[in-house]
Structures are given as C-alpha cells and as structure tokens.
Amino acid sequence: MKIKELPISGHLKDYYQKAGISDLYPPQAECIHKGMFKRKNLLVAIPTASGKTLVAEMAMHHHVGESGKCLYIVPLKALASEKFEEFSRKDVRVGISTGDFDRRDESLGKNDIIVATSEKVDSLIRNSAPWLKDISLLVVDEVHLIDSPDRGATLEMVITKMRYRNPEMQIIALSATIGNPGVLARWMDAELVTSEWRPVDLRPGVFYNGRIKFHESFRTVECVSKFDDLNLCMDTISEGGQCLVFVSSRKNAEAFAKRAASAFQLENSALKELSDRLTKLAETDNDKLLAACVESGAAFHHAGLKREARTVVEEGFRKGHIRCISSTPTLAAGLNMPARRVIIRDYRRFTSGEGMVPIPVREYHQMAGRAGRPHLDPYGEAVLIAKDDQDVEALFEWYIDAPAEDVYSQCGTESTLCTHILSLIASGFVRSREEISTFMDRTFFLYQHKQSRVIPRVIGKVLAFLLETEMIAENGGIVSATQYGSLVSRLFINPNGAQTIVHGISSAEEYSDVALLQLICSTPDMYNLYVSNKDIPYLERFLVDLDEDLWLTVPEDGEEGFFRGLKTTMLLRDWANELSDTVICERYSVGPGDIYSMVESVNWLLHATSRLTPMFAPSFYQQVRELEYCMKYGVKRELLPLVKIRNIGRVRARRLFNSGISSPENLQAAGFDRVSQILGRGVADQLFSAVKRQSDKNSGDVKESGARATARKKQSTLSYFVD
Ligand code: ADP
C-alpha cells in the first residue's frame, strides 16, 4: 500500500517521502484495512521497530485534519520527550506534559497532539483539565505495561476513565508481543493486528564454546580474549556493526564498558568531543569512568547516570560513534536505539526477596527486538550466552521459542483501589456505590475476572477507610469527596500515605525537618533505598543521635521498611546539608541519577505536605515550604535567596555565601569584578550581561522620573537575576 494514497496531509506525505518511506509495511497496511482511518479501535501487537509509532502518527494527523485532538500516552518521561520531538518535526501543534501533578495545564489544550505519561494524564483527569473532553483519539504506547505491578493500575484506570468520559473516542493501543492480545483487544472493543513480520531479519541464537547456534545455522566467533561477551562484541565491531550488551546490574554494565573500551582503543575527534562533554558533566568517579570509556568507543547506561549524561551516550550511539553500550534492561524498555547485535549476557536478575530469577520472556523479546537497524543493517542478531551445552537447548526452549506471557490487570489490590476509588469520587466520575460498581465493571480487571467476589469486598473496605478518615462523606446514598479527600486526589498521592502524613503533622508538638522527611519516607509513594546488614550500625547510631527530633520510633518487630525509610532519610538529610554528590554516592552506593529520582519523589511529597498543612498544622506551613526548596536545590536554608538566581546552583551559592554575599541584592552591589573573583569570569559574565540587557531595555522605556522610577528599575533589574 502506497503512502501517497492515504488520507493524510500532503505535508506529512512529503515528509515521509523525503525520509524514504513510500510503502507501508505489511502490519501497517493491515491497520488501515482494519479501519484505522474509519475510527475503529485497534490493538497493534507487533515486534519492536515494525512501524507502530508511524502508524499511530498517521492516524493522529488524520484526526487533526478532521479537527480532532489526540492524546499520546507513554510510560516514561524520556520517551515523552523523544516522541514530542519526533511529532513536532511535522506540521502540527504538539504539546508535552510530564511536570507537576497538581496542575491543569490548560494551555496544553491549544495543541493538536499532546504527549504525556500515564501518571500525568491521570492527574490531568483528577484536576479536570477542560480539554480532555475534546480528545478524539487516544494512543496508548506500550499498553502491555498494564501488567506492571507499579504502574499498570494507573494506565488501566486512565484508559477506562478516558473511554467512560469520551465514549466516541477512538483508541489505538500499541503493544509488544504478548500472550493474550485477544483478551486485551476485546476489552477495548478493538480490532487486533498481530504479526511476526519485521523490517530487518532477526536471527536469535545462543552462544557457547566459540560459536553461535541459530535455528538453522552456526556462526563461529573469533576468540580474541578470555571473555565470551567481549568476543561477541568485538566480532560485530570488526565487521562494522554496533552492539548492545544487556547485563543484570549497574556494576556489571560499568565493568563491561571498561573492558570493551580497553579492547577497542578507538580514537577520533567525535569520540573526544563526546568524552569532553561527559567530563564537563562529571562529578563522581563513575561519571569520569564513563567519559574515559566513551573516549575509546564504549559506554554504559543505567538509571544511576545523570539524565544529561544518558543523553550524550544515546546521541553518540545513534550517530554511530559509540560502538557498544552495556546496559541494565532500562534501555530495552525505553528508547529507540537499535544495534546490529544484541547480547543478552545475563538472563537472570536480582529481585528483592527472591534472589536471582530468570527474566520474563516478554523482556527477552524486548531486548532481542533491538537487534537490526532498519535501513542500516543487513540483519540483526540477538544472542544469549549459555553456561554449558545443556543450557543451549534450554535457552532456546525458555526464551527463543517460548510464547510471551499473558498480561494481567493489576487493579485488584486494596491499596491500588483506595487511590483510584477516591479519585473517581473526587473527580465526579461516580456518585454512589452502584456507580462505583458500574465503573469498575468496565475495567480490564473485571473483564478478566468476571465473577470476582473479591472486588465488591475490597471496595467495601476501601470506602470504609475513606469514610473513617473523612476523605469522603456519604449522605442519602450519595458519596462525595470532602475538601481533604479532593485535595489528596488532586495531589496524586496515596490516601494511606496522606493519612500517615496528616496524622504525623497534626500530632507533632514541634516541627522538625528530619522528622518530616522520615515521615514522608514511611509512605508508600516514596521510593526507598535497600538496607544491608552493614548499614544497621549506622542507622542505629543515627536513631540515637536524633532520637529527640524524630516522630517515628522503631516498630516492635524492627521491620525492614522502617530501616529503609530511615536510610533514605539520612541520604536526603545529607543532600540538604550540602554534601557533594560524590560523597553521597559513595556513602549510600547510589549514582547521581538515583539522588535525582529520590529528590524528585520527596519534593513531590513535600509539596503535597505543604498543601495539607494549612488544613492540619498551619503553624508548620512556612517551614515545610522552605524545606521543599532546600530539598529541590540541596542546600541549607541560608542559601535559599541565592539559589533562586538563574545559573546559581548549590556549589556556587555556597561559595558566594562564604564570601559574604547572601542575597541577589548583595550580589548586584558586589559588582562584576568581585563576583568574577569568586565564581570566575564566565559565570560573572552570564550573570551581569543579563542584568545589562535588562537595564538597556529599561533606559529605552518611557522616561520616568523621581524615586519611583529608580525603585522600579532597580526592582526589574533584580528580577532578572531571579527565576
Ligand atoms: P516501532 O514504534 O514499532 O518501534 P517505528 O514506527 O518507530 O517502530 O519505526 C521504526 C523505524 O522504521 C523508524 O525509523 C521509522 O521511520 C521506520 N519506518 C516505519 N514505517 C516505515 C515504512 N513503512 N517504510 C520505511 N520505514 C519505515
């Protein structure tokens, strides 16, 4: 089927033509035959890189051409940015929403296509963003994540709510290969498109003893070192391809990149430039290791890295300069980065409480699917590494020839339902117990468990909790959210966590930063650090030192959760006490990326707490707000006026403060030369040229005279300093 025959704009056709895309791939053509342009719902469950995004993009442009509006849901923020950039290159207005949870983002509504994570869409629904009712096409990327224990329930609820509210809306769900696509399709009243077709031939195989066994052939691999994984990698590099190596832990990813770098010994200006960019970002030894590896053509990639560093690595790989990336499976779930050969070195992964467990078949397919770059590689190879002869057959059976697992709804637990039922009531979807049941009947959970007797019982318990905590009220058969319940729903926090916070702050006699952090770290929304036996003595000492300041004490059973929360509290306290990233990373065995995600989580919960304090502990309000900013910037309170200045972070602010400059006014009064001495000429230039631009603009403005004009100009020059 030819692109030029499709009902999409000439602009989009030209764009595809220029990109060398003129015919649809077979599964794409099937989407059209099954009614994609006739507003039929579709579930497209086909392999990675077989053109799902492109098909969804055409459907979106078709809607926009008919004055429709589209919402594109993705699982990760990084993916949202990638899709946003991809869609923005064409002639449509595209918006992205991944930010604060309690905003309505009204201006987003002026766009034709809005890209957002599922959590963000749920929060937009809770905050009644008015434009949601205009959505005529909902695209759900990676819909198989409905099965994810952490995030699946939100995705399922978002789909259900959007369909409940906009019954005429078309839905196109994109999925990796799953075992039960028919059930998922029927739940969504969707036509199913499944296919094994791929644009680049994929050869799955198992490596053992110097050769790769494929289904019908073998390939000998030259052994240049004693490491199988490195030999496999060198084999591809020597024929001009690139490699992705999936391993089970961050440490393994780093160790492999180090070995690969010393084996490659590549040298060129593009690698040097990438390495220089990483060196500029580097703070920890690990960051420096990454820069050194990249200089020789290898890299590692995992969630412990800073976002900016990950972007440099991704860019270097896409452009073909970095020849190999070793990664934890984060990369497989995330970005579009194909390579000639994918090496799945570790097919077991450490899982808390279970030890090393084999990864699911679906995850194997997702990694293997990265093999083969369309238009660039003649074929792709996905290679597992066996430990012995028997392992070879077993790996074929367990992974290569195995069907993907079925997906199951994650909406059945009490904690999940508590969050979602409160939000259904607070955002006016349901007004009685009957309506709750009617709504729940439309979920995937009830579609899969039609006769469930558990759900009515759990709903009863959840409603009892929400009534008891006064988040909802029930009068004459009508249920409605109280001011408290409505706020909790809009803040997008777990009602149990909200209740823990409210109980903690309203029963505390005196405010304490560390106590509040510990309280927040005891809620289910906080992502906490793991605790090992060697941490216990430090944690116990911390408890003794801060005994008088803390609000929570060790529970009788010395529960693990308590110590995990305590360890996270220690890290956050160190962060706000201005300890460097390097020290924190070493002390807690984390990467800068982990500090960033913990700070992001605690900030969201601190923000929520600051919104709850006027209702429950008004005298704490100011301190909670300040702590929110201290956490955001990683500074003590005395630096708050300085970090509000553009281009001034925690390190520069501390230097200024220690030199006697403690506010924007002081900084301006100190003058360029003094600030250059403290922060260097480059930074002083940035700061003061912004001020100069502002003063020039002021002097060009209508002439004013007198003290009022002087004060106004001074104020507006100052405001240039401050974000
Ligand atoms: P998926 O979302 O399934 O991973 P994409 O839609 O991102 O796949 O497509 C993968 C690559 O193939 C992209 O570079 C895309 O431009 C290209 N592509 C998609 N459809 C076609 C087509 N019909 N002809 C040629 N290239 C295509």
Side-chain angles (χ1 to χ4, degrees), residues 18 29 170 250 268 367 421 442 500 550 555 703:
K18 283 194 193 117
Q170 183 184 11
R250 296 176 185 184
N268 62 50
M367 296 184 203
I421 288 180
R442 300 196 184 187
T500 303
L550 295 176
K703 295 243 179 308

Side-chain angles (χ1 to χ4, degrees), residues 46 220 262 375 595 607 610 693:
I46 57 178
T220 306
S262 63
H375 316 301
I595 304 179
H607 172 70
S610 79
R693 273 200 305 278

